[in-house]
């Protein structure tokens, strides 16, 4: 089992790099094109490739959650079977992910000579966007935990990245699907930003989506039996956690 300190470092650095990819590619896209469709295409393509690489590299260390909803679901599903995160691990993961997301947004701002901290003014407070976040988050949970429960976590880098890439385009919210990333993106007043006043609505929608996704996984696969060994979430190695 990898030490908690190493796992927290992986979650911090992985989430930071993920947000840097999302925000940085959004800034670059906005500078290179005035076409909103092309901007979204560039942003989503960079995110797909970046996320796939980060999962492949850091999955064996921490499970590559990079997402408080994923970590919470991992703890909830495995709390009785002995698999998954402990309650103490969960708190550390969530803190590392949020701090990493904020650091990643600040890093992207700095790389493009933007103010290191600039609160976003992009309002995303609408019911249809919240519904998009429910759908995006529920689908993400279903993809991740279906792979874990069926013993196919080696497919996680490609499958999870592909889902997020698709969800950029088929959800109204462009699929944040991640509370830490949502908080981090509030620190950048750029293409990928979200106004701080819009963050609470997205967090509630993501929590609801997490519950829906968790219920779908339990309905499809049932609850893990005590004593059964499960593959770590989003890891391509059985020694990931």
């Amino acid at each position: 089992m990898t030490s908690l300190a190493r796992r927290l470092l992986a979650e911090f650095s992985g989430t930071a790099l993920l947000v840097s990819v999302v925000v940085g590619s959004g800034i670059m896209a906005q500078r290179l094109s005035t076409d909103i469709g092309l901007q979204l295409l560039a942003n989503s393509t960079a995110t797909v490739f970046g996320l796939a690489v980060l999962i492949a590299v850091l999955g064996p260390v921490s499970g590559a959650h990079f997402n408080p909803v994923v970590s919470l679901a991992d703890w909830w599903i495995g709390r009785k079977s002995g698999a998954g995160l402990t309650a103490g691990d969960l708190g550390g993961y969530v803190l590392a992910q949020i701090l990493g997301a904020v650091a990643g947004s600040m890093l992207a701002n700095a790389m493009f000579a933007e103010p290191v901290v600039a609160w976003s003014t992009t309002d995303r407070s609408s019911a249809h966007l919240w519904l998009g976040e429910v759908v995006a988050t529920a689908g993400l949970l279903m993809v991740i935990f279906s792979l874990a429960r069926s013993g196919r976590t080696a497919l996680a880098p490609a499958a999870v990245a592909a889902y997020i890439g698709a969800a950029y385009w088929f959800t109204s919210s462009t699929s944040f699907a991640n509370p830490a990333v949502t908080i981090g993106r509030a620190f950048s007043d750029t293409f990928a930003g979200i106004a701080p006043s819009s963050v609470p609505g997205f967090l509630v929608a993501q929590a609801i989506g997490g519950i829906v996704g968790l219920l779908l996984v339990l309905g499809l696969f049932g609850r893990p039996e005590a004593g059964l060994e499960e593959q770590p979430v989003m890891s391509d190695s059985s020694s990931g956690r």
Side-chain angles (χ1 to χ4, degrees):
M1 178 181 292
T2 306
S3 70
L4 179 59
R6 289 181 178 177
R7 286 184 279 145
L8 295 183
L9 177 59
E11 287 298 304
F12 173 86
S13 57
T15 310
L17 288 170
L18 173 60
V19 174
S20 291
V21 169
V22 172
V23 174
S25 63
I27 296 173
M28 180 65 82
Q30 196 170 34
R31 291 184 178 183
L32 293 177
S33 175
T34 58
D35 185 280
I36 298 298
L38 287 177
Q39 291 173 2
L40 185 61
L41 178 61
N43 191 211
S44 61
T45 301
T47 300
V48 167
F49 288 133
L51 181 57
V53 170
L54 289 171
I55 294 172
V57 171
L58 296 175
V61 181
S62 68
H65 295 186
F66 313 146
N67 188 331
V69 173
V70 174
S71 297
L72 182 61
D74 187 39
W75 166 76
W76 180 262
I77 289 178
R79 72 193 192 287
K80 290 185 178 179
S81 66
L85 298 177
T86 66
D89 290 347
L90 174 62
Y93 266 51
V94 172
L95 180 60
Q97 291 156 358
I98 292 173
L99 293 177
V102 173
S105 188
M106 294 169 64
L107 175 61
N109 289 337
M111 286 193 293
F112 286 90
E114 297 284 343
V116 175
V117 175
W119 297 114
S120 176
T121 56
T122 303
D123 180 73
R124 301 179 189 266
S125 299
S126 299
H128 72 284
L129 299 179
W130 300 333
L131 177 59
E133 279 301 285
V134 171
V135 172
T137 309
L140 177 63
L141 264 288
M142 188 173 70
V143 169
I144 292 170
F145 286 93
S146 293
L147 292 174
R149 295 297 301 278
S150 60
R152 295 179 296 162
T153 54
L155 297 176
V160 174
Y163 173 79
I164 290 297
Y168 256 88
W169 291 91
F170 80 78
T171 64
S172 56
S173 63
T174 66
S175 183
F176 285 49
N178 184 328
V181 168
T182 302
I183 293 170
R185 287 169 69 166
F187 284 74
S188 182
D189 190 19
T190 59
F191 177 79
I194 176 173
S197 60
S198 299
V199 169
F202 266 53
L203 298 185
V204 171
Q206 289 157 1
I208 294 171
I211 293 171
V212 172
L214 190 58
L215 291 174
L216 285 171
V217 172
L218 293 177
L220 291 168
F221 296 95
R223 185 176 296 279
E225 296 180 19
L228 290 182
E229 182 71 19
E230 284 203 346
Q231 295 194 47
V233 175
M234 289 173 66
S235 170
D236 57 358
S237 169
S238 61
S239 62
R241 189 165 58 242

